[in-house]
Amino acid sequence: MSTKNSNNLVVPSAREAMDKFKMEAANEVGVSLKQGYNGDLTSRQAGSVGGQMVKKMIEAYENGLK
């Protein structure tokens, strides 16, 4: 069974910026992420990090429209 990473970025060079963004979002919601594997997070923790990232992206988009 092969596992394929479905987290491919459209712009591969953006990986570092996305990792930094994810760490900032995790810090804001009180989730401790480490570099590399974070499969030990609960679904609630992972969801709160993802939700915070989406919230920040929407805010950035809305601020760009003003």
Side-chain angles (χ1 to χ4, degrees):
M1 178 179 178
S2 71
T3 54
K4 183 179 177 190
N5 185 352
S6 63
N7 294 327
N8 296 326
L9 296 175
V10 174
V11 182
S13 60
R15 172 74 52 202
E16 187 176 326
M18 285 301 295
D19 287 342
K20 182 179 180 215
F21 180 56
K22 181 174 25 175
M23 292 297 209
E24 289 173 5
N27 188 43
E28 290 172 5
V29 294
V31 174
S32 179
L33 289 183
K34 54 189 176 284
Q35 293 295 328
Y37 180 74
N38 283 286
D40 54 340
L41 292 178
T42 65
S43 296
R44 178 180 289 256
Q45 290 171 316
S48 65
V49 173
Q52 182 68 7
M53 291 174 71
V54 170
K55 180 180 174 184
K56 291 175 65 120
M57 285 186 267
I58 291 170
E59 287 174 359
Y61 177 79
E62 288 175 342
N63 287 334
L65 292 176
K66 294 178 182 176

